[in-house]
Amino acid sequence: MNSTIFIRYLKSLANHLPIGTCYLDTELRYAYVNNILSKINGIPADKHINRHVGEIVPHFLTQIQKVADQIVLTGQPVENLELCGETPANPGVNGYWNTSWYPIFDGGSRISGFLVIVYDIKEQKLAEGEIREREQRLVAANQILHAALTFETEGELGLTCLDIIKRITNSQVAFIGEVHHGLLNINISNPGCDDSNSIIDEECGPKGSFPIKGIYGKVITEQKSFFTNDIANLPDSITFPDGHPPIFSFLGVPLFYKGRVFGMIGVGNREGGYSKKEQDTLEAISPSVVDAIMRKRAKDELEALNHELEQRVEQRTREMLHAEKLAAIGKLSASIAHEFNSPLQAVMTIHKILSLSERLDAKERKLLNSAIEESKRMKSLIRSLQDFYRPTSDRKVLMDVCASLQSILVLFKIDLNRKNIKAELTCSKRMPQIMAVPDQIKQVFLNLLSNAADACHNGGGFVSIRAFQAGSNVVVEIQDSGIGIPPENLDKIFQPFFTTKPVVKGTGLGLSVCHGIVQNHGGRIRVESEPGAGTTFTVFLPINGEHQGQE
């Protein structure tokens, strides 16, 4: 078809179509442009005629030339070619168009020009881009939340968050900062780089805290996002510390938790700088970062509570086992005492009858009196054994502290003698009884005395026990001349399961349990020690069994 005739037909149709249309000759000059395409290009239709496409839309010249060459070579149309770039109508702003190119033959097989059809697909492209961005944000949020459930430490979680943040914003550096001490400073080392002591995820740079001022302070104090692509000339710019990676562009987003600023995410050095798009992306995933951090901390706190509960259960189990052990010993000792008591009473009766005989000489009477005294001592020992192991209820009753200490010393005498340890008990006169659970208080005294003997492990030594009244308390002071306790351990000795002994010795009732028993009686334990000079434990027990004020 003659090109002139084709253009005439095209004019009659194209101005009524909702698409851009034009006719280009083989030299890529405009022979016809409809109104819609002239609006797309931002130049009146008649100003296109006989002008080269490179003059009107220079951004597309290379692509258009390739299409024209292909059509001339193959004689086939090129359809659905997408073009992206600027036009005079919107300089500096990229547009998107779908174009189709058809050859027009001027009789025979010679191409006389090209029919071009243009669809504006910018809205479609923007919608597709928004969908992709939403998908990326959703994937990033899921990855962050998954990391909260997967990694063992907050540091590992933070580093993973930083990797995701850098990837989704195309940034070279990133950090997660947490506000400390009100709004005084921001600690960039937590969370995120605790394990590597880092503030910036660029191969883990320097650590530390920054004052809340400058660009960081702007994000925190104003509680809104901020970005700049000219950080050097920013009025709020501050000097970074030595070793800090150079920052050319910056984007910061505040992190909120329970309605207050919790911290911030900062990214920097994106090629091409930052825009509202990257800000929206970072704002979209910031709640997931906060949620992941708080979930991890809640999980860690729960695990810590479970561990503490397990320790308490184990401690209580040991207490119960010890109580059962004491009860078993009590039953056994009561049975032994009963079996020994009857024949011993018979022996004492026979000795007393024999002592009435007038036929005994002085030597025989002396031996007999000695046997009677030893029998009395055995009877006293059996009575002490019965008194000490006699089971009681958990109710508080009147208790004679001095009598209990005397019975404990009687039972402990052999062990002390074997270790060549001298023991001395001093009780004040007319000391009042206390309201207490006797079994429990006896266990405390027995454990403290056992520890005092163990402290004198080299053989020889001295243990002093004093009992006296001090105000509304009965005070028991147990002092040894043993090895003492190192100063760094004094704050730990009442902690569950803390021990400096190589093996478990004595009753198995730890100082933590002693501390608990005394506290449950409203009292307190004080310890004083000097390495190499011995240790003094002082137990304060209220006379009426009620809780007293702490020292």
Side-chain angles (χ1 to χ4, degrees), residues 3 59 76 279 288 302 310 333 386 395 408 419 434 506 545:
S3 59
H59 287 90
Q76 299 297 318
Q279 178 181 317
S288 298
L302 181 60
E310 289 173 358
S333 56
Q386 288 176 315
R395 295 180 179 178
I408 292 172
K419 294 180 179 179
I434 65 171

Side-chain angles (χ1 to χ4, degrees), residues 14 42 67 128 148 184 228 252 254 282 284-285 296 405 412 450 482 526 533:
V67 172
E128 291 175 355
L184 296 179
T228 177
L282 202 52
I285 66 170
K296 185 68 180 72
L405 289 170
F412 226 78
S450 174
R526 185 177 67 198

Side-chain angles (χ1 to χ4, degrees), residues 8 68 117 126 142 185 201 213 227 230 245 270 312 448 457 509:
R8 188 183 308 130
I117 298 175
L126 291 177
N142 287 336
N185 61 68
D201 181 36
K213 59 182 181 179
F227 69 86
D230 187 17
R270 180 181 187 272
R312 289 184 178 181
L448 294 178
H457 60 76
L509 186 65

Side-chain angles (χ1 to χ4, degrees), residues 1 23 119 134 197 241-242 287 316 374 378 426 441 455 513 518:
M1 177 183 293
Y23 179 81
Y119 294 89
R134 288 181 179 179
N197 292 324
D242 293 340
R316 183 58 180 162
E374 288 301 309
M378 289 177 63
T426 304
I441 299 301
V513 179
V518 173

Side-chain angles (χ1 to χ4, degrees), residues 460-481:
F462 183 78
V463 176
S464 170
I465 307 168
R466 288 199 316 131
F468 55 92
Q469 181 180 355
S472 60
N473 293 311
V474 165
V475 181
V476 177
E477 186 180 88
I478 300 177
Q479 181 180 12
D480 66 67
S481 60

